[in-house]
Amino acid sequence: MSGPKRDLVGIEPMSRADIELTLDTAGSFAEISERPVKKVPTLRGKTVVNLFLEPSTRTRTSFEIAGKRLSADVINISGSGSSIAKGESLRDTLRTIEAMSVDCLVIRHSSSGSAAFAADLLSFPVINAGDGCHEHPTQALLDLYTISTALGRLKGVRVVLVGDVLHSRVARSLMLALEKVGSAVTVVAPPGLIPSDVEQYGVRVAPVLDDVLPSADVLYVLRVQKERMGRQFYPSDREYASLYGINKTRLEALPKKSLLMHPGPVNRGVEIDADVAESGRSLIDKQVTSGVAVRMASLYWLLGGTPAA
Ligand code: NCD
């Protein structure tokens, strides 16, 4: 690849065309995961390091699978097994990785801005796999890919986003992405869990969930992020569930063809009931499947591989 290096730090700097190109590329990579031999030589000889300094199941595993399906060598580093646990700084860890001729870094970190810090420091592409409460761009891209595969369009799709928007990097990236592709987003959350600047994302805020369910094409439920809450934002889980939790009655209040999404992991019985998460309208498993194709597409564009075989 020639020219300046590219990074995927957030949805914010992406154009609608960039987003559409990634989704189209994901569409052509999705089929590789259906083959008996799920591997193409596209990124042979490239080394991708997954540096995950916060817990993760879906994102870390799907980046690893995506890299391996494209024949890259993938190395996983976690906080507890690395020298970060001995007190090494993020800067020193990044420089150490750079000294080993790596081609791409995927980073998850609890501090907002850490992915941009890595992208500025390193001479090779950086992908943000979630930085604090800031952005999680590949999650938004996989959500768009899932919606467009299920509904055949993104423009004009009405999305109701319910839950802990304040602490959610998923919500931030998703609101930015949905606005760019022309979807209409309504946010519903306990007042303390709505960011004060939410209107800059071009969304509408609605106070009562039950009022907006009948006009949702997609109901997107966010996890209550207790690990990021320094104080109590609502009286109790029971009260949260009664006002904002998705149960069978709420699911039935949606139009017949509407779909349910959640980025995972799910707090069953708080933001969503167990039987609802597993209902036929739930796209939760499809979101996970889409994650592999979208991350293959992201690695492909940043590393400038050759077309899939
Ligand atoms: C999200 C994350 O880590 O930001 N999960 C994910 O990547 N699938 C959402 C969450 O933890 O609630």
Side-chain angles (χ1 to χ4, degrees):
M1 188 173 59
S2 58
K5 68 142 179 160
R6 283 184 284 189
D7 302 291
L8 179 49
V9 166
I11 296 292
E12 198 164 12
M14 290 181 84
S15 65
R16 180 184 182 141
D18 293 335
I19 293 174
E20 286 171 351
L21 186 61
T22 309
L23 303 188
D24 287 350
T25 311
S28 60
F29 279 136
E31 169 270 325
I32 295 168
S33 296
E34 313 281 316
R35 298 182 189 174
V37 178
K38 303 173 184 61
K39 218 175 181 59
V40 291
T42 315
L43 297 183
R44 192 164 51 198
K46 303 283 187 191
T47 305
V48 177
V49 169
N50 282 336
L51 177 63
F52 274 67
L53 304 175
E54 254 196 0
S56 172
T57 301
R58 294 157 191 76
T59 308
R60 193 192 59 72
T61 310
S62 70
F63 265 113
E64 181 172 358
I65 290 177
K68 287 184 168 165
R69 291 204 175 146
L70 294 174
S71 298
D73 295 312
V74 182
I75 283 77
N76 293 308
I77 306 176
S78 67
S80 59
S82 74
S83 290
I84 289 197
K86 297 181 186 171
E88 186 173 62
S89 69
L90 177 61
R91 186 190 179 87
D92 286 345
T93 301
L94 294 173
R95 298 218 75 119
T96 303
I97 293 168
E98 179 158 53
M100 289 187 253
S101 303
V102 162
D103 298 291
C104 180
L105 177 79
V106 179
I107 180 169
R108 168 167 289 195
H109 194 285
S110 58
S111 297
S112 300
S114 49
F117 173 77
D120 284 347
L121 185 76
L122 300 173
S123 57
F124 51 84
V126 170
I127 301 181
N128 181 6
D131 63 328
C133 300
H134 177 227
E135 277 225 41
H136 190 354
T138 57
Q139 178 70 42
L141 292 167
L142 77 85
D143 289 333
L144 262 53
Y145 179 82
T146 309
I147 296 171
S148 113
T149 306
L151 298 180
R153 67 197 163 96
L154 289 167
K155 196 170 163 54
V157 170
R158 296 162 305 171
V159 180
V160 169
L161 189 58
V162 58
D164 182 0
V165 182
L166 182 69
H167 299 105
S168 178
R169 52 201 179 200
V170 171
R172 233 167 283 276
S173 290
L174 189 58
M175 290 189 292
L176 288 164
L178 287 170
E179 198 203 4
K180 288 182 199 237
V181 298
S183 308
V185 182
T186 302
V187 166
V188 188
L193 291 176
I194 300 181
S196 55
D197 63 348
V198 76
E199 262 130 33
Q200 81 174 41
Y201 297 92
V203 302
R204 186 171 84 86
V205 177
V208 180
L209 178 60
D210 295 311
D211 291 349
V212 295
L213 292 177
S215 56
D217 297 310
V218 174
L219 177 60
Y220 196 106
V221 186
L222 296 165
R223 184 172 66 89
V224 174
Q225 307 216 356
K226 289 194 178 154
E227 77 279 17
R228 298 192 206 279
M229 294 182 188
R231 62 181 172 91
Q232 192 125 1
F233 282 85
Y234 52 87
S236 66
D237 282 353
R238 220 165 115 177
E239 169 136 348
Y240 184 93
S242 84
L243 291 174
Y244 306 100
I246 310 307
N247 50 31
K248 224 165 158 253
T249 313
R250 291 204 163 112
L251 192 69
E252 279 161 10
L254 290 166
K256 278 204 166 45
K257 290 194 172 148
S258 303
L259 300 163
L260 180 74
M261 298 176 73
H262 188 301
V266 168
N267 286 316
R268 289 177 186 237
V270 184
E271 73 259 3
I272 196 164
D273 282 1
D275 52 341
V276 169
E278 278 156 31
S279 86
R281 328 240 326 233
S282 163
L283 292 178
I284 297 175
D285 291 342
K286 291 216 164 62
Q287 288 171 268
V288 177
T289 305
S290 303
V292 174
V294 164
R295 288 172 177 131
M296 286 168 85
S298 305
L299 288 167
Y300 171 76
W301 279 112
L302 294 183
L303 287 169
T306 50

